[in-house]
Short mmCIF file of all heavy atoms in Angstrom, two decimals:
data_model
loop_
_atom_site.label_atom_id
_atom_site.label_comp_id
_atom_site.label_asym_id
_atom_site.label_seq_id
_atom_site.Cartn_x
_atom_site.Cartn_y
_atom_site.Cartn_z
N SER E 1 23.85 -38.14 -26.17
CA SER E 1 23.11 -37.89 -27.41
C SER E 1 24.11 -37.88 -28.55
O SER E 1 24.81 -36.90 -28.77
CB SER E 1 22.37 -36.54 -27.34
OG SER E 1 21.74 -36.27 -28.54
N GLY E 2 24.20 -39.00 -29.28
CA GLY E 2 25.18 -39.10 -30.35
C GLY E 2 26.58 -38.93 -29.79
O GLY E 2 26.94 -39.56 -28.83
N SER E 3 27.36 -38.01 -30.34
CA SER E 3 28.71 -37.77 -29.86
C SER E 3 28.77 -36.61 -28.88
O SER E 3 29.85 -36.23 -28.43
CB SER E 3 29.62 -37.47 -31.05
OG SER E 3 29.17 -36.33 -31.76
N ALA E 4 27.62 -36.01 -28.55
CA ALA E 4 27.61 -34.85 -27.67
C ALA E 4 27.29 -35.26 -26.24
O ALA E 4 26.27 -35.88 -25.99
CB ALA E 4 26.59 -33.82 -28.15
N PRO E 5 28.16 -34.91 -25.28
CA PRO E 5 27.82 -35.20 -23.89
C PRO E 5 26.62 -34.37 -23.45
O PRO E 5 26.36 -33.31 -24.02
CB PRO E 5 29.09 -34.79 -23.14
CG PRO E 5 29.76 -33.80 -24.02
CD PRO E 5 29.44 -34.23 -25.43
N VAL E 6 25.92 -34.83 -22.45
CA VAL E 6 24.77 -34.11 -21.92
C VAL E 6 25.16 -33.58 -20.54
O VAL E 6 25.55 -34.34 -19.67
CB VAL E 6 23.54 -35.02 -21.81
CG1 VAL E 6 22.35 -34.24 -21.27
CG2 VAL E 6 23.20 -35.62 -23.17
N PHE E 7 25.08 -32.27 -20.37
CA PHE E 7 25.52 -31.64 -19.13
C PHE E 7 24.33 -31.35 -18.22
O PHE E 7 23.32 -30.80 -18.67
CB PHE E 7 26.26 -30.33 -19.44
CG PHE E 7 27.44 -30.49 -20.36
CD1 PHE E 7 27.33 -30.14 -21.70
CD2 PHE E 7 28.62 -31.01 -19.89
CE1 PHE E 7 28.42 -30.29 -22.55
CE2 PHE E 7 29.72 -31.17 -20.74
CZ PHE E 7 29.62 -30.81 -22.07
N SER E 8 24.47 -31.65 -16.96
CA SER E 8 23.37 -31.50 -16.02
C SER E 8 23.07 -30.05 -15.68
O SER E 8 21.99 -29.72 -15.18
CB SER E 8 23.63 -32.28 -14.73
OG SER E 8 24.81 -31.83 -14.09
N ASP E 9 24.01 -29.14 -15.94
CA ASP E 9 23.78 -27.72 -15.62
C ASP E 9 23.26 -26.93 -16.82
O ASP E 9 23.14 -25.72 -16.73
CB ASP E 9 25.06 -27.08 -15.08
CG ASP E 9 26.20 -27.07 -16.09
OD1 ASP E 9 26.25 -27.98 -16.94
OD2 ASP E 9 27.06 -26.18 -16.02
N VAL E 10 22.96 -27.62 -17.90
CA VAL E 10 22.47 -26.94 -19.11
C VAL E 10 20.97 -27.12 -19.25
O VAL E 10 20.47 -28.24 -19.19
CB VAL E 10 23.19 -27.49 -20.38
CG1 VAL E 10 22.54 -26.94 -21.63
CG2 VAL E 10 24.66 -27.14 -20.34
N ASP E 11 20.27 -26.02 -19.44
CA ASP E 11 18.84 -26.05 -19.78
C ASP E 11 18.78 -26.04 -21.31
O ASP E 11 18.91 -24.99 -21.95
CB ASP E 11 18.11 -24.85 -19.20
CG ASP E 11 16.61 -24.85 -19.54
OD1 ASP E 11 16.19 -25.70 -20.34
OD2 ASP E 11 15.89 -24.00 -19.00
N TYR E 12 18.59 -27.22 -21.90
CA TYR E 12 18.66 -27.32 -23.35
C TYR E 12 17.48 -26.67 -24.07
O TYR E 12 17.50 -26.56 -25.29
CB TYR E 12 18.81 -28.79 -23.75
CG TYR E 12 20.20 -29.34 -23.46
CD1 TYR E 12 20.48 -29.95 -22.25
CD2 TYR E 12 21.21 -29.20 -24.38
CE1 TYR E 12 21.74 -30.43 -21.96
CE2 TYR E 12 22.48 -29.67 -24.11
CZ TYR E 12 22.75 -30.29 -22.89
OH TYR E 12 24.01 -30.77 -22.63
N SER E 13 16.48 -26.24 -23.32
CA SER E 13 15.36 -25.52 -23.93
C SER E 13 15.60 -24.01 -23.92
O SER E 13 14.82 -23.26 -24.48
CB SER E 13 14.06 -25.84 -23.19
OG SER E 13 14.10 -25.33 -21.86
N ASP E 14 16.69 -23.58 -23.27
CA ASP E 14 16.98 -22.14 -23.19
C ASP E 14 17.69 -21.67 -24.46
O ASP E 14 18.02 -22.45 -25.34
CB ASP E 14 17.83 -21.86 -21.96
CG ASP E 14 17.53 -20.51 -21.33
OD1 ASP E 14 17.03 -19.63 -22.05
OD2 ASP E 14 17.81 -20.33 -20.13
N TRP E 15 17.95 -20.38 -24.53
CA TRP E 15 18.46 -19.75 -25.75
C TRP E 15 19.80 -20.31 -26.19
O TRP E 15 20.16 -20.22 -27.36
CB TRP E 15 18.58 -18.24 -25.54
CG TRP E 15 19.46 -17.83 -24.37
CD1 TRP E 15 19.08 -17.70 -23.08
CD2 TRP E 15 20.86 -17.54 -24.41
NE1 TRP E 15 20.14 -17.35 -22.29
CE2 TRP E 15 21.25 -17.24 -23.08
CE3 TRP E 15 21.82 -17.50 -25.41
CZ2 TRP E 15 22.55 -16.90 -22.74
CZ3 TRP E 15 23.14 -17.16 -25.07
CH2 TRP E 15 23.48 -16.86 -23.76
N TYR E 16 20.56 -20.89 -25.30
CA TYR E 16 21.90 -21.37 -25.62
C TYR E 16 21.98 -22.90 -25.78
O TYR E 16 23.04 -23.43 -26.11
CB TYR E 16 22.89 -20.95 -24.53
CG TYR E 16 22.52 -21.52 -23.17
CD1 TYR E 16 22.92 -22.80 -22.79
CD2 TYR E 16 21.75 -20.78 -22.26
CE1 TYR E 16 22.58 -23.33 -21.55
CE2 TYR E 16 21.41 -21.31 -21.03
CZ TYR E 16 21.81 -22.57 -20.68
OH TYR E 16 21.45 -23.10 -19.47
N GLY E 17 20.87 -23.62 -25.53
CA GLY E 17 20.89 -25.08 -25.46
C GLY E 17 21.41 -25.73 -26.73
O GLY E 17 22.29 -26.61 -26.68
N ASP E 18 20.88 -25.32 -27.89
CA ASP E 18 21.32 -25.91 -29.16
C ASP E 18 22.79 -25.63 -29.42
O ASP E 18 23.52 -26.47 -29.99
CB ASP E 18 20.48 -25.36 -30.33
CG ASP E 18 19.07 -25.90 -30.33
OD1 ASP E 18 18.81 -26.90 -29.63
OD2 ASP E 18 18.22 -25.31 -31.01
N ALA E 19 23.27 -24.47 -29.01
CA ALA E 19 24.67 -24.10 -29.24
C ALA E 19 25.59 -24.97 -28.39
O ALA E 19 26.67 -25.37 -28.85
CB ALA E 19 24.89 -22.63 -28.91
N VAL E 20 25.19 -25.29 -27.17
CA VAL E 20 26.01 -26.17 -26.33
C VAL E 20 26.14 -27.54 -26.98
O VAL E 20 27.23 -28.12 -27.04
CB VAL E 20 25.41 -26.29 -24.91
CG1 VAL E 20 26.08 -27.41 -24.12
CG2 VAL E 20 25.55 -24.97 -24.17
N THR E 21 25.02 -28.07 -27.47
CA THR E 21 25.07 -29.37 -28.15
C THR E 21 25.99 -29.29 -29.37
O THR E 21 26.78 -30.21 -29.62
CB THR E 21 23.65 -29.79 -28.60
OG1 THR E 21 22.82 -29.90 -27.45
CG2 THR E 21 23.69 -31.11 -29.33
N PHE E 22 25.93 -28.19 -30.09
CA PHE E 22 26.73 -28.01 -31.31
C PHE E 22 28.22 -28.05 -30.99
O PHE E 22 28.99 -28.79 -31.61
CB PHE E 22 26.34 -26.68 -31.95
CG PHE E 22 27.03 -26.39 -33.26
CD1 PHE E 22 26.44 -26.76 -34.46
CD2 PHE E 22 28.26 -25.76 -33.29
CE1 PHE E 22 27.07 -26.49 -35.67
CE2 PHE E 22 28.90 -25.50 -34.49
CZ PHE E 22 28.31 -25.86 -35.69
N VAL E 23 28.65 -27.23 -30.03
CA VAL E 23 30.10 -27.15 -29.74
C VAL E 23 30.59 -28.40 -29.02
O VAL E 23 31.74 -28.81 -29.21
CB VAL E 23 30.45 -25.88 -28.94
CG1 VAL E 23 30.11 -24.63 -29.73
CG2 VAL E 23 29.73 -25.86 -27.60
N ALA E 24 29.72 -29.02 -28.22
CA ALA E 24 30.13 -30.23 -27.52
C ALA E 24 30.29 -31.39 -28.48
O ALA E 24 31.22 -32.20 -28.36
CB ALA E 24 29.12 -30.58 -26.44
N ALA E 25 29.41 -31.48 -29.47
CA ALA E 25 29.49 -32.56 -30.45
C ALA E 25 30.77 -32.46 -31.27
O ALA E 25 31.32 -33.47 -31.74
CB ALA E 25 28.28 -32.53 -31.37
N ARG E 26 31.28 -31.23 -31.44
CA ARG E 26 32.51 -31.03 -32.20
C ARG E 26 33.75 -31.06 -31.31
O ARG E 26 34.88 -30.87 -31.79
CB ARG E 26 32.43 -29.69 -32.95
CG ARG E 26 31.54 -29.79 -34.18
CD ARG E 26 31.06 -28.43 -34.64
NE ARG E 26 30.23 -28.59 -35.84
CZ ARG E 26 28.97 -29.06 -35.83
NH1 ARG E 26 28.43 -29.41 -34.69
NH2 ARG E 26 28.29 -29.17 -36.95
N GLY E 27 33.54 -31.31 -30.02
CA GLY E 27 34.68 -31.40 -29.11
C GLY E 27 35.36 -30.07 -28.84
O GLY E 27 36.48 -30.03 -28.35
N LEU E 28 34.67 -28.95 -29.14
CA LEU E 28 35.27 -27.64 -28.94
C LEU E 28 35.19 -27.20 -27.48
O LEU E 28 36.17 -26.71 -26.93
CB LEU E 28 34.59 -26.61 -29.84
CG LEU E 28 34.64 -26.91 -31.34
CD1 LEU E 28 33.96 -25.81 -32.13
CD2 LEU E 28 36.09 -27.08 -31.79
N ILE E 29 34.04 -27.33 -26.88
CA ILE E 29 33.88 -27.07 -25.45
C ILE E 29 33.36 -28.37 -24.85
O ILE E 29 32.22 -28.77 -25.08
CB ILE E 29 32.90 -25.91 -25.17
CG1 ILE E 29 33.35 -24.64 -25.90
CG2 ILE E 29 32.84 -25.63 -23.66
CD1 ILE E 29 32.47 -23.43 -25.66
N THR E 30 34.20 -29.02 -24.09
CA THR E 30 33.89 -30.37 -23.63
C THR E 30 33.43 -30.41 -22.18
O THR E 30 33.13 -31.49 -21.66
CB THR E 30 35.12 -31.27 -23.78
OG1 THR E 30 36.23 -30.70 -23.07
CG2 THR E 30 35.50 -31.40 -25.25
N GLY E 31 33.39 -29.26 -21.53
CA GLY E 31 33.00 -29.25 -20.10
C GLY E 31 34.18 -29.48 -19.20
O GLY E 31 35.29 -29.81 -19.64
N TYR E 32 33.96 -29.28 -17.92
CA TYR E 32 35.03 -29.47 -16.94
C TYR E 32 35.29 -30.97 -16.74
O TYR E 32 34.37 -31.76 -16.73
CB TYR E 32 34.64 -28.84 -15.60
CG TYR E 32 34.48 -27.32 -15.67
CD1 TYR E 32 33.24 -26.73 -15.44
CD2 TYR E 32 35.56 -26.51 -15.94
CE1 TYR E 32 33.10 -25.35 -15.48
CE2 TYR E 32 35.42 -25.13 -15.98
CZ TYR E 32 34.19 -24.55 -15.76
OH TYR E 32 34.06 -23.18 -15.80
N THR E 33 36.55 -31.30 -16.55
CA THR E 33 36.93 -32.72 -16.41
C THR E 33 37.41 -33.07 -15.02
O THR E 33 37.60 -34.25 -14.72
CB THR E 33 38.03 -33.09 -17.42
OG1 THR E 33 39.17 -32.22 -17.23
CG2 THR E 33 37.52 -32.92 -18.85
#
């Protein structure tokens, strides 16, 4: 989604979903590699 990776362990409808997209799009928390 744009510059933000989509993580399979994230429920994007849950309370933290938008925040994960936010930090991932900025490259702050990129997930495990």
Side-chain angles (χ1 to χ4, degrees):
S1 176
S3 60
V6 181
F7 303 103
S8 60
D9 62 331
V10 171
D11 180 352
Y12 287 91
S13 66
D14 213 337
W15 58 273
Y16 61 85
D18 288 344
V20 169
T21 299
F22 183 93
V23 297
R26 284 160 179 75
L28 302 181
I29 304 181
T30 57
Y32 296 115
T33 57

